[in-house]
């Protein structure tokens, strides 16, 4: 049944009439990983997460959470799982503390445990101040923090997040990212599967990436490998002659391509972090007036676009 | 297995508790309370204003003849939104992704809706009896039997409301469908069948006629009577049969609730 993966997806298929949203999807999520689940609109991300959280039934295949078949025994499978699917709403007549109590009671937590965890989690998601205010008066960002908070109740081992920053303003997005970083870096023994359109967010938070399109898995690997499998794109700026710098840079070890884009020199470095450190030393020793050397910030975006383009 | 079942029941209780909080903190409860008091107030005040000489039974039939209308209003306002509101307001994304089966959610919501209707009806009956006693110094007959039929009608009508609630997307649509179905559609069917000399005992309205008739006939079964209304035309006056009416209410309630639950189970987000 289970091979020790907290989340296992085997041959998953979901069809709406003739439209196939998820097509023979196989994906195993490693324990304690923070996996970004990427794909364009309509790729099948939300459908997959809805099947995992028992909101939708699969047409075929199986999904397991902690070894329990979600379709056969959803109650047991979802025990120990926190979820934030799409943009959930909460009962407007309840306060955050009452919402946590309601969900805690459904899970079967003791009153004492609910009270203790409510205080801790509200502090973590920075909502302590509004603990006793009715949710009906809250902004979208505040509701989303409550959504993350309720997912943390009862110390889940698996958290499933569906675009947790969707629809938030820049400040709300930044706050949410900070909260998610806090969760990632915290003491919890957690496996997180998060779908997102924000590639920067994924590269900032996740250590693994799974990409799908047309309901099929295109790639699943560590973020490092996904981003740098075809080399590291390095951007340099010089106060000297660009042409001279380019000709000297071409002679360096592990450099596969050097080009000029406007006032920047773009080079492709084959190798890992150690090779990048060596490159910095070599560039300095060339004495070609380099005043800036940085890894391109669009690496995941470039890879994402390449992979999605190939899959069409 | 039994541990799992008892956990399901515990969860149903938690859901019901939350539904009560929703009812008590909403504005609808105030509106229903005002309607109930208005109906009661009018029925109490008008005979006094016109100085009519009425027995306790006369008074009581006046009160209970409006009980069905109150039931229709209560189920249209509360039970009709029990399921649909979870989808419309997207709270289903929170509750349905938790370790809870669908049936404890359904039972919890049903229990809360039924209890609210029953409490409102008991309150209406108590107010009515108090007013009758103050006016006539006597108690009407068959109070509990009439109340029992009112409760049976609540059960059947709640089933109808929850069926619409599982079927449609919006609570407002569900409330309108419930109100028109119980207040208009079944009424038209009931009246038309009677015109064609058919006793429409299988229509849900047969149950609410027993709320008033129970006061007059108690446990005595009255057969249907074909009454001439003009030359060559007669209308079937439905009979009074407590056991049959109980069966009709139970069947309506159970069937509509079963349909409601199956629709809810199949419903995806």
């Amino acid at each position: 049944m289970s091979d020790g993966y907290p989340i296992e997806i085997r041959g998953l298929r979901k069809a709406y009439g003739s439209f196939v949203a998820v097509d023979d999807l196989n994906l195993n999520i490693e324990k304690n990983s923070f996996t970004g689940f990427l794909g364009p609109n309509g790729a099948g991300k939300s459908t997959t997460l809805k099947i995992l959280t028992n909101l939708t039934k699969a047409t075929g295949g199986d999904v397991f959470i902690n070894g329990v078949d979600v379709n056969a025994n959803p109650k047991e499978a979802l025990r120990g799982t926190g979820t934030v699917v799409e943009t959930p709403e909460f009962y407007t007549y309840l306060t955050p503390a009452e919402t946590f109590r309601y969900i805690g009671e459904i899970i079967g937590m003791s009153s004492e445990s609910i009270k203790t965890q409510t205080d801790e989690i509200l502090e973590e998601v920075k909502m302590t101040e509004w603990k006793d205010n009715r949710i009906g008066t809250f902004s979208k960002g505040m509701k989303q923090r409550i959504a993350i908070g309720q997912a943390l109740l009862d110390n889940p081992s698996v958290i499933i997040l569906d675009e947790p920053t969707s629809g938030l303003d820049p400040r709300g997005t930044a706050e949410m990212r900070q909260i998610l970083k806090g969760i990632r870096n915290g003491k919890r023994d957690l496996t997180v599967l998060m779908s997102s359109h924000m590639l920067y967010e994924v590269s900032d938070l996740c250590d693994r990436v799974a990409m799908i399109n047309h309901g099929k898995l295109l790639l699943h690997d560590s973020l490092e490998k996904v981003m740098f499998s075809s080399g590291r794109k390095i951007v340099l700026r010089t106060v000297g002659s660009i042409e001279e710098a380019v000709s000297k840079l071409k002679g360096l070890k592990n450099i596969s391509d050097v080009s000029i884009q406007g006032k920047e020199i773009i080079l492709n470095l084959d190798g890992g972090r150690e090779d990048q450190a060596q490159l910095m030393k070599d560039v300095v020793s060339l004495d070609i007036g380099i005043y800036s050397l940085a890894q391109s910030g669009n690496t995941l975006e470039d890879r994402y676009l390449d992979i999605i383009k190939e899959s069409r | 297995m039994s541990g799992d079942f008892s956990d399901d029941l515990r969860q149903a209780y938690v859901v019901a508790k939350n539904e009560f909080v929703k009812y008590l903190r909403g504005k609808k409860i105030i509106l229903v309370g005002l309607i109930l008091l208005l109906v009661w107030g009018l029925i109490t005040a008008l005979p006094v204003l016109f100085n009519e000489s009425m027995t306790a039974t006369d008074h009581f039939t006046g009160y209970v003849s409006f009980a069905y209308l109150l039931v229709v209003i209560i189920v249209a306002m509360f039970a009709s939104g029990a399921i649909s509101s979870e989808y419309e307001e997207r709270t289903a994304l929170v509750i349905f992704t938790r370790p809870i089966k669908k049936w404890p959610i359904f039972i919890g919501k049903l229990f809360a809706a039924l209890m609210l209707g029953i409490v409102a009806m008991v309150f209406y009956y108590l107010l009515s009896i108090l007013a009758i006693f103050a006016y006539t110094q006597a108690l009407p007959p068959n109070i509990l039997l009439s109340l029992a039929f009112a409760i049976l009608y609540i059960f059947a009508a709640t089933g109808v409301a929850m069926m619409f609630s599982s079927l449609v997307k919006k609570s407002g649509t569900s409330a309108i469908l419930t109100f028109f179905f119980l207040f208009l559609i079944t009424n038209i069917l009931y009246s038309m069948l009677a015109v064609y000399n058919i006793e429409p005992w299988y229509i849900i309205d047969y149950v609410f006629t027993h709320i008033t008739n129970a006061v007059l006939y108690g446990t005595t079964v009255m057969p249907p009577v074909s009454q001439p209304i003009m030359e060559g035309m007669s209308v079937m006056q439905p009979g009074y049969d407590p056991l049959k009416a109980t069966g009709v209410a139970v069947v309506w309630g159970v069937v509509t609730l079963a349909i409601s639950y199956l629709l809810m189970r199949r419903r995806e987000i």
Side-chain angles (χ1 to χ4, degrees), chain A residues 75 86 93 105-106 150, chain B residues 7-8 10 25 90 98:
Chain A
K75 184 174 177 181
E86 291 179 352
Y93 50 88
E105 283 178 353
I106 282 181
Q150 60 84 30
Chain B
D7 188 54
D8 292 340
R10 183 193 61 74
R25 290 186 183 175
R90 300 171 69 78
R98 286 292 168 186

Side-chain angles (χ1 to χ4, degrees), chain A:
Chain A
M1 191 176 67
S2 169
D3 295 324
Y5 295 104
I7 298 175
E8 285 182 75
I9 300 171
R10 292 185 190 168
L12 188 66
R13 180 181 163 84
K14 176 70 179 176
Y16 298 96
S18 59
F19 174 71
V20 180
V22 182
D23 190 7
D24 193 26
L25 181 68
N26 292 287
L27 177 64
N28 293 331
I29 303 298
E30 277 78 2
K31 193 170 166 60
N32 294 331
S33 67
F34 199 128
T35 303
F37 196 34
L38 298 174
N41 286 334
K45 304 186 299 293
S46 287
T47 306
T48 304
L49 297 189
K50 280 182 180 174
I51 293 168
L52 270 170
T53 52
N54 194 37
L55 288 169
T56 299
K57 293 285 179 200
T59 313
D62 299 298
V63 289
F64 299 89
I65 297 180
N66 290 323
V68 183
D69 187 337
V70 176
N71 188 43
N73 193 355
K75 184 174 177 181
E76 201 48 44
L78 291 170
R79 206 179 286 284
T81 306
T83 62
V84 180
V85 180
E86 291 179 352
T87 310
E89 287 292 335
F90 293 91
Y91 302 98
T92 52
Y93 50 88
L94 296 181
T95 66
E98 287 169 339
T99 301
F100 283 20
R101 191 171 65 217
Y102 177 44
I103 294 165
E105 283 178 353
I106 282 181
I107 296 170
M109 294 168 68
S110 69
S111 300
E112 192 54 41
S113 182
I114 292 171
K115 198 178 174 312
T116 313
Q117 287 198 26
T118 296
D119 291 340
E120 286 171 6
I121 293 169
L122 286 175
E123 182 70 34
E124 194 169 353
V125 298
K126 301 174 179 67
M127 286 297 290
T128 305
E129 202 181 324
W130 292 280
K131 179 183 172 183
D132 297 316
N133 292 39
R134 288 203 187 165
I135 293 176
T137 61
F138 287 4
S139 68
K140 192 171 184 181
M142 291 161 87
K143 284 181 192 168
Q144 201 66 344
R145 279 188 266 164
I146 296 298
I148 296 288
Q150 60 84 30
L152 294 171
L153 273 173
D154 206 25
N155 296 315
S157 61
V158 170
I159 290 189
I160 295 167
L161 306 170
D162 187 9
E163 299 185 25
T165 57
S166 169
L168 298 182
D169 62 23
R171 188 181 157 191
T173 305
E175 283 174 351
M176 183 57 65
R177 203 173 291 142
Q178 278 308 312
I179 290 166
L180 292 174
K181 269 186 188 173
I183 292 167
R184 183 194 63 187
N185 300 333
K187 294 173 198 159
R188 292 185 182 88
D189 190 17
L190 261 183
T191 303
V192 181
L193 176 62
M194 178 185 81
S195 80
S196 178
H197 277 303
M198 316 280 274
L199 299 172
Y200 171 72
E201 187 172 277
V202 171
S203 57
D204 194 29
L205 288 168
C206 301
D207 51 27
R208 295 189 67 79
V209 174
M211 286 189 199
I212 67 166
N213 198 13
H214 305 305
K216 285 181 183 294
L217 185 71
L218 304 176
L219 173 152
H220 178 212
D221 216 326
S222 71
L223 182 74
E224 183 86 2
K225 279 190 181 166
V226 171
M227 286 174 75
F228 307 120
S229 60
S230 58
R232 287 165 189 261
K233 195 183 274 185
I234 308 291
V235 182
L236 298 101
R237 289 180 180 185
T238 175
V239 290
S241 159
I242 289 191
E243 288 73 18
E244 185 196 344
V246 167
S247 77
K248 286 187 176 176
L249 285 166
K250 278 180 179 169
L252 290 178
K253 205 172 88 177
N254 294 329
I255 300 299
S256 59
D257 184 41
V258 183
S259 61
I260 301 169
Q261 277 182 17
K263 291 179 179 176
E264 290 175 339
I265 302 165
I266 312 291
L267 56 85
N268 204 58
L269 172 71
D270 297 328
R273 287 174 184 164
E274 292 76 17
D275 299 299
Q276 191 170 333
Q278 184 58 48
L279 173 72
M280 289 173 80
K281 283 184 199 166
D282 294 345
V283 165
V284 170
S285 67
L286 285 175
D287 193 24
I288 49 177
I290 298 295
Y291 69 91
S292 165
L293 184 152
Q295 192 173 291
S296 169
N298 296 327
T299 314
L300 183 60
E301 187 175 279
D302 293 341
R303 281 291 290 146
Y304 172 82
L305 292 173
D306 287 346
I307 291 165
I308 295 299
K309 199 174 162 186
E310 282 167 20
S311 74
R312 280 183 183 153

Side-chain angles (χ1 to χ4, degrees), chain B:
Chain B
M1 195 67 191
S2 68
D4 195 34
F5 181 71
S6 64
D7 188 54
D8 292 340
L9 283 182
R10 183 193 61 74
Q11 289 179 318
Y13 167 72
V14 173
V15 172
K17 217 167 57 169
N18 183 57
E19 287 289 298
F20 280 124
V21 173
K22 177 170 84 177
Y23 295 155
L24 294 174
R25 290 186 183 175
K27 287 175 185 159
K28 285 180 186 173
I29 195 100
I30 300 166
L31 186 63
V32 164
L34 287 174
I35 291 169
L36 192 145
L37 287 174
L38 181 70
V39 170
W40 175 82
L42 285 172
I43 300 169
T44 306
L46 289 177
V48 178
L49 285 175
F50 290 105
N51 204 20
E52 281 210 39
S53 171
M54 290 165 76
T55 64
T57 306
D58 295 337
H59 275 289
F60 195 49
T61 50
Y63 283 110
V64 297
S65 61
F66 285 94
Y68 98 93
L69 182 62
L70 290 173
V71 172
V72 172
I73 290 170
I74 290 167
V75 298
M77 282 208 172
F78 295 98
S80 69
I83 311 294
S84 52
S85 67
E86 294 284 356
Y87 295 88
E88 185 182 4
E89 290 158 24
R90 300 171 69 78
T91 46
L93 293 170
V94 176
I95 184 102
F96 289 5
T97 56
R98 286 292 168 186
I100 180 169
K101 293 172 185 163
K102 291 269 175 76
W103 78 257
I105 298 173
F106 186 82
I107 293 292
K109 285 173 176 289
L110 169 65
F111 180 75
L114 283 175
M115 279 300 122
L116 182 87
I118 292 169
V119 166
M121 206 40 58
V122 168
F123 180 63
Y124 178 70
Y125 270 65
L126 280 175
L127 282 181
S128 305
I129 292 158
L130 280 174
I132 292 165
F133 192 75
Y135 196 58
T136 64
Q137 278 78 55
L139 285 176
N142 304 316
I143 297 168
L144 289 178
L145 190 61
S146 172
L147 180 62
F149 280 115
I151 291 170
L152 280 168
Y153 186 61
I154 289 169
F155 174 65
T158 300
V160 170
M162 287 189 69
M163 183 180 69
F164 286 127
S165 193
S166 291
L167 190 66
V168 299
K169 283 181 181 173
K170 292 190 179 290
S171 300
T173 314
S174 175
I176 290 167
L177 284 172
T178 301
F179 188 81
F180 278 98
F181 184 82
L182 294 174
F183 192 67
L184 203 66
I185 307 297
T186 57
N187 228 312
I188 291 170
L189 278 172
Y190 196 75
S191 307
M192 291 306 290
L193 287 168
V195 167
Y196 293 115
N197 258 311
I198 300 164
E199 192 201 13
W201 59 268
Y202 38 83
I203 306 282
I204 191 171
D205 293 32
Y206 183 72
V207 182
F208 82 64
T209 60
H210 282 61
I211 300 171
T212 313
N213 287 340
V215 181
L216 305 171
Y217 307 126
T219 52
T220 311
V221 176
M222 303 295 286
V225 181
S226 183
Q227 284 186 330
I229 51 166
M230 60 178 75
E231 204 175 319
M233 190 177 176
S234 59
V235 168
M236 179 65 76
Q237 183 72 44
Y240 171 78
D241 188 334
L243 270 181
K244 195 194 265 184
T246 304
V248 171
V250 169
V251 169
W252 266 89
V254 169
V255 170
T256 49
L257 286 170
I259 294 170
S260 174
Y261 177 63
L262 291 175
L263 289 170
M264 179 194 166
R265 267 189 66 131
R266 288 177 59 88
R267 197 165 174 170
E268 295 190 344
I269 300 173

